[in-house]
Amino acid sequence: MKATIIAVTLAALSMQINPGTPAGRSSGKGSWNKNPVIAHRGAWKQKNLPQNSIASLQEAVRLGCHGAEFDVHMTSDSVLVVNHDDVFYGLSIPRSTYKDLLTKKHPNGENIPTLEEYLKAGKKQKKTKLILELKPSNISTERDLRMTDKAVAMVGKLKATAWVDYISFSYDILKHIRQIQPKANVAYLKGDVSLEQLKADGFYGADYHMNVYKKGEWFAKAKELGLTINSWTVNEEADMNWLLDNKVEFITTDQPERLLNILASRDRK
C-alpha cells in the first residue's frame, strides 16, 4: 500500500501530460504540479477526512494534485469561512456568528477553517493551487459582492494571489473579481454561458459539468479561444479517460488518487 502511494505521488510530481496548459496556472511564485487533478473539497474520500478541512487540503498537497478546490461563505458577522454547504453541523453559516460556529467541530477535531487560516495553510507549499469557490447566498447580491471584496482583499493581504484561482456559480461575483483584480484567473461553473462570452468578459475558462461538454464542440473551440476547460465532478474511470482523451486542462474529482493512478498508467504507455 505504501509503495502504491509513493508511486502515485512521484508520478503526480513528475508528470507533464498537458504541455499546452495555459500559463496562468504555471506562473507566479509556485512551481505548480503539472497534472490536471483538482481535488474537490480537498482530498478527503479515501482517508475519510472532513471535506473542506485543513486536513483534506494537506492530503491534496501530499498526493501532488495540481489544485485543491474549496468553498467560501460569510457569517452574519462578516467572517469568511470554508465549508461546502451553507450549514455547518446544523448551524446556518450566513445567519450565525463565527463564535456560534466554533461550538461545532469536524469529526477530526478541527474547527471550521476561516479563509485566512486556509490560505495560510495553503501557502506553506508551492506545488498545489488553491481553487477558491465563492458561494452565492440566497440573501442578496449586495451581500455576495461584499463577501467577494473581503475574499479578494484577504488573498491580497496574505500575498496569496499566485496561489489562488476563483470559481463560482455566480457570474456577477466573477465579473466583480475581474473588476477589482483584472489579472485574476476566474472560471464559471453553471454551464449556461458560451465560450465566446467567457472570452469577451476576460474569464480564464469554463468549469462546467461533464454532461455540458457532451453537446457541441467545446474542446476545439476552447483551444481556439485560448480558454481552459475544467470538468466537475468526475469520479468514474471511463469519464476521466474520455476527458483526458479530449485533452482538457483540469478535472475536478472526489477521487484524486484514482485519477492520478490513471495518469500514471497512461504515462507509461
Side-chain angles (χ1 to χ4, degrees):
M1 180 67 179
K2 288 184 178 179
T4 300
I5 292 173
I6 292 171
V8 168
T9 304
L10 291 174
L13 291 173
S14 63
M15 236 176 281
Q16 297 188 20
I17 63 145
N18 271 327
T21 297
R25 293 275 190 188
S26 58
S27 62
K29 296 183 178 180
S31 179
W32 315 115
N33 293 315
K34 294 180 176 63
N35 62 62
V37 184
I38 308 296
H40 186 228
R41 311 176 196 174
W44 54 271
K45 194 175 184 70
Q46 190 167 95
K47 292 190 173 182
N48 197 30
L49 299 170
Q51 300 176 19
N52 273 307
S53 62
I54 299 295
S56 67
L57 165 63
Q58 292 171 337
E59 181 65 3
V61 170
R62 188 190 70 80
L63 287 170
C65 299
H66 174 78
E69 183 267 353
F70 62 104
D71 307 281
V72 173
H73 300 266
M74 187 166 69
T75 66
S76 64
D77 54 344
S78 300
V79 177
L80 300 184
V81 293
V82 177
N83 197 60
H84 180 262
D85 300 327
D86 64 358
V87 175
F88 184 70
Y89 299 108
L91 294 177
S92 167
I93 294 174
R95 303 190 186 281
S96 300
T97 65
Y98 175 60
K99 185 176 180 181
D100 292 335
L101 297 179
L102 291 179
T103 64
K104 306 286 186 178
K105 289 184 181 291
H106 282 302
N108 69 343
E110 282 189 41
N111 293 321
I112 187 171
T114 63
L115 175 59
E116 182 171 8
E117 290 167 345
Y118 195 97
L119 292 174
K120 285 180 176 178
K123 273 197 67 184
K124 291 179 180 179
Q125 52 80 47
K126 299 180 180 180
K127 296 289 187 180
T128 298
K129 294 278 283 188
L130 307 177
I131 314 302
L132 193 167
E133 179 176 348
L134 284 157
K135 289 284 193 178
S137 69
N138 293 320
I139 298 174
S140 70
T141 299
E142 181 184 2
R143 187 182 192 277
D144 292 343
L145 296 184
R146 185 158 55 89
M147 172 185 68
T148 303
D149 285 335
K150 290 178 67 67
V152 174
M154 180 61 70
V155 171
K157 173 187 172 183
L158 297 179
K159 296 181 171 56
T161 302
W163 279 258
V164 174
D165 292 348
Y166 298 92
I167 58 176
S168 184
F169 280 95
S170 167
Y171 211 74
D172 288 337
I173 282 176
L174 295 174
K175 287 182 72 173
H176 188 63
I177 292 171
R178 291 285 303 162
Q179 289 173 354
I180 60 179
Q181 192 184 91
K183 293 184 179 180
N185 288 335
V186 302
Y188 183 51
L189 292 166
K190 198 171 182 180
D192 59 351
V193 173
S194 70
L195 291 173
E196 289 85 355
Q197 188 61 54
L198 295 176
K199 178 71 173 181
D201 287 330
F203 284 26
Y204 179 63
D207 192 346
Y208 293 165
H209 191 275
M210 186 184 67
N211 289 338
V212 174
Y213 300 127
K214 292 186 175 180
K215 302 175 184 178
E217 298 297 325
W218 291 92
F219 306 118
K221 179 60 70 173
K223 295 292 189 294
E224 178 185 326
L225 294 172
L227 296 175
T228 59
I229 291 287
N230 191 358
S231 184
W232 58 267
T233 300
V234 184
N235 294 325
E236 299 303 320
E237 184 172 341
D239 296 333
M240 292 173 176
N241 276 308
W242 179 73
L243 290 163
L244 292 171
D245 289 343
N246 281 287
K247 296 181 172 54
V248 300
E249 282 74 26
F250 311 111
I251 298 174
T252 298
T253 178
D254 294 323
Q255 301 274 12
E257 298 88 352
R258 175 177 295 173
L259 181 52
L260 287 166
N261 277 321
I262 289 172
L263 289 166
S265 176
R266 291 168 68 105
D267 198 47
R268 287 194 295 268
K269 292 181 180 178

